[in-house]
Amino acid sequence: MTRPRIRVAAYVIRHRSGPELLVFDHVGAPTAGTQVPAGGVGPDEELELAVLREVAEETGLSDVAVVRQVAVEDKPHPESGQPRRTTFFFLRTSTDTPDEWDHRVSGDGEDADLTFACRFLALPLKQPLADEQDTWLSRIDPLWATYESSDSGDRL
């Protein structure tokens, strides 16, 4: 049995007129979809430190604080099918954070040197995130569940 790749994902929330979620898109790769900061955990790296590092590497934000762990998801990688375990965290950031910006990814991971277009989206989301990353938002607040179509049952 193959051991899962250990990952973290961040729901970075700011509150202005209402709650907003930090997301990004890959500049030049629209098929990657809208995502939250997420990535691998290093050997012996604590999960809370890993999620803070991923947010900083992928968005440039360092003014974030971990509130709590939200969920642990065992789900294969959507392309390779390899096992992975992702721990989702709820983080807060300042209301002074810009509405949108481009960030060149730092670090030495597979995203290094890519540019991400970062922005905040009002909650609840009107569209699901890539790889169903929005699934666990309702565990922070039930009102934050992504809208679903009442006609077909499909997510919008």
Side-chain angles (χ1 to χ4, degrees):
M1 178 175 208
T2 304
R3 300 184 87 187
R5 178 175 178 224
I6 305 300
R7 303 175 69 245
V8 290
Y11 293 137
V12 180
I13 306 294
R14 77 171 182 192
H15 286 272
R16 285 195 175 166
S17 60
E20 299 171 313
L21 175 67
L22 175 64
V23 298
F24 66 82
D25 293 288
H26 293 250
V27 173
T31 59
T34 301
Q35 304 176 35
V36 296
V41 176
D44 300 318
E45 186 177 25
E46 293 180 30
L47 295 178
E48 287 190 6
L49 294 177
V51 77
L52 292 170
R53 175 187 49 74
E54 282 296 327
V55 170
E57 287 178 2
E58 293 187 352
T59 70
L61 285 183
S62 58
D63 182 21
V64 295
V66 174
V67 176
R68 66 181 169 86
Q69 181 178 316
V70 176
V72 177
E73 175 182 81
D74 288 305
K75 181 176 169 181
H77 187 280
E79 294 172 11
S80 70
Q82 294 297 310
R84 63 183 185 170
R85 173 171 290 153
T86 305
T87 302
F88 286 78
F89 285 90
F90 168 25
L91 293 81
R92 288 196 191 275
T93 193
S94 166
T95 58
D96 297 335
T97 307
D99 291 335
E100 58 185 61
W101 67 96
D102 285 349
H103 176 74
R104 188 170 187 157
V105 178
S106 61
D108 58 3
E110 60 191 41
D111 293 335
D113 293 327
L114 295 177
T115 300
F116 291 165
C118 304
R119 68 187 188 284
F120 283 90
L121 295 176
L123 290 169
L125 300 174
K126 292 180 173 73
Q127 301 284 329
L129 298 176
D131 195 25
E132 300 177 332
Q133 290 179 331
D134 54 299
T135 298
W136 306 108
L137 282 167
S138 63
R139 288 221 178 149
I140 301 170
D141 186 322
L143 298 175
W144 295 356
T146 303
Y147 287 127
E148 294 184 14
S149 169
S150 58
D151 296 333
S152 66
D154 294 332
R155 293 166 57 136
L156 298 177

